[in-house]
Amino acid sequence: MSLFANLFVCVCAFIGFVYGIVVLIKPNRAVFTQMITFAVGCLGFGKLYQIIRIITGGELVDKFQLGVLGVIGSLVFLFSANFGAMDSLADDGGKALRKYRLIALAAPACVVALYVVFMLFTDYPLLAKIMSGVIALFSGLSSYYNLKHLILPDIEFGVIECLRPYNVLALVYSLLSLIETFTMLRSAAATNIVSVLIGITALLIIPTVARGYKKWIT
């Protein structure tokens, strides 16, 4: 079942990745849409490595494996897509939007709480705690901006409103990626369920971004 779950995520991610290459990786497209495409691609390549590892008799939880870097890479790209130019476009840093910045801290706070509950009070190996900690770090950073851009009032030209559906999916993906690291060491059935949800999310992210971006520029 672990093989099929990883295969499902891999196929979904690569479908989204290829679609993103076709419609979003172009000179006249915004950089943030390309970063989101690369995020889905990272996930796909990470899961492809895990599939090969399973087929060749390797384990996914006994030691460090490169598939984790695919998840981390995807979160780094999602964070980078919203950090900087996109965030400054949505948030001018003024006092009027301070409450939204504070509310958005709920996302990384939730990530920290999950990490504390599932990792610090378990007998997980130290390596698993470190890997989950790294994923939690970038999950928290990414989810902060996704939640902030989800709740911020819209601005001129409607970019915030157009990208709200994407930010919902990205926020869900960030949390699911962290939860998957916990379930992998406890329950194969729970991991498979989380993997299916991750696959569905990865499949929807790129079309959602493309639709929102098209709506914004038109």
Side-chain angles (χ1 to χ4, degrees), residues 180-198:
E180 184 185 37
T181 66
F182 304 148
T183 60
M184 285 180 67
L185 290 168
R186 289 299 183 190
S187 171
T191 301
N192 293 335
I193 293 173
V194 174
S195 294
V196 169
L197 294 175
I198 289 175

Side-chain angles (χ1 to χ4, degrees), residues 5 12 38 45 49 51 70 84 103 106 113 118 132 143 154 160 166 181 186 200 203:
C12 289
F38 293 142
F45 282 110
Y49 175 86
I51 290 169
I103 294 173
F118 285 99
S132 294
S143 62
D154 204 7
I160 299 299
Y166 153 71
T181 66
R186 289 299 183 190
I200 294 172
L203 183 64

Side-chain angles (χ1 to χ4, degrees), residues 7-208:
L7 182 61
F8 178 76
V9 178
C10 183
V11 170
C12 289
F14 276 124
I15 290 174
F17 182 49
V18 171
Y19 182 75
I21 291 176
V22 173
V23 301
L24 297 177
I25 306 298
K26 296 180 180 180
N28 62 335
R29 293 292 187 266
V31 174
F32 80 90
T33 63
Q34 300 181 39
M35 288 186 175
I36 295 168
T37 301
F38 293 142
V40 176
C42 278
L43 174 63
F45 282 110
K47 293 300 180 179
L48 179 61
Y49 175 86
Q50 292 185 342
I51 290 169
I52 296 173
R53 190 177 178 92
I54 293 172
I55 292 175
T56 55
E59 294 289 338
L60 299 181
V61 298
D62 61 340
K63 59 184 70 175
F64 176 79
Q65 44 95 6
L66 294 177
V68 175
L69 296 181
V71 177
I72 294 173
S74 68
L75 293 171
V76 170
F77 272 117
L78 291 180
F79 162 67
S80 301
N82 276 341
F83 179 77
M86 178 56 67
D87 186 60
S88 61
L89 183 65
D91 181 6
D92 61 5
K95 292 182 179 180
L97 299 179
R98 180 181 296 173
K99 64 178 180 181
Y100 298 103
R101 293 191 288 271
L102 293 175
I103 294 173
L105 291 173
C110 181
V111 168
V112 171
L114 284 172
Y115 183 76
V116 169
V117 171
F118 285 99
M119 300 304 294
L120 298 186
F121 296 105
T122 65
D123 57 352
Y124 286 175
L126 178 60
L127 179 60
K129 293 183 177 182
I130 293 174
M131 288 191 299
S132 294
V134 175
I135 291 177
L137 171 63
F138 290 106
S139 176
L141 291 173
S142 175
S143 62
Y144 168 77
Y145 286 101
N146 290 133
L147 180 56
K148 185 168 79 164
H149 293 182
L150 184 60
I151 63 177
L152 278 173
D154 204 7
I155 59 175
E156 190 175 1
F157 304 119
V159 61
I160 299 299
E161 184 64 31
C162 291
L163 293 176
R164 289 195 205 280
Y166 153 71
N167 281 299
V168 171
L169 291 172
L171 180 60
V172 170
Y173 171 73
S174 295
L175 295 177
L176 287 175
S177 296
L178 180 61
I179 293 172
E180 184 185 37
T181 66
F182 304 148
T183 60
M184 285 180 67
L185 290 168
R186 289 299 183 190
S187 171
T191 301
N192 293 335
I193 293 173
V194 174
S195 294
V196 169
L197 294 175
I198 289 175
I200 294 172
T201 304
L203 183 64
L204 295 175
I205 280 180
I206 300 300
T208 302

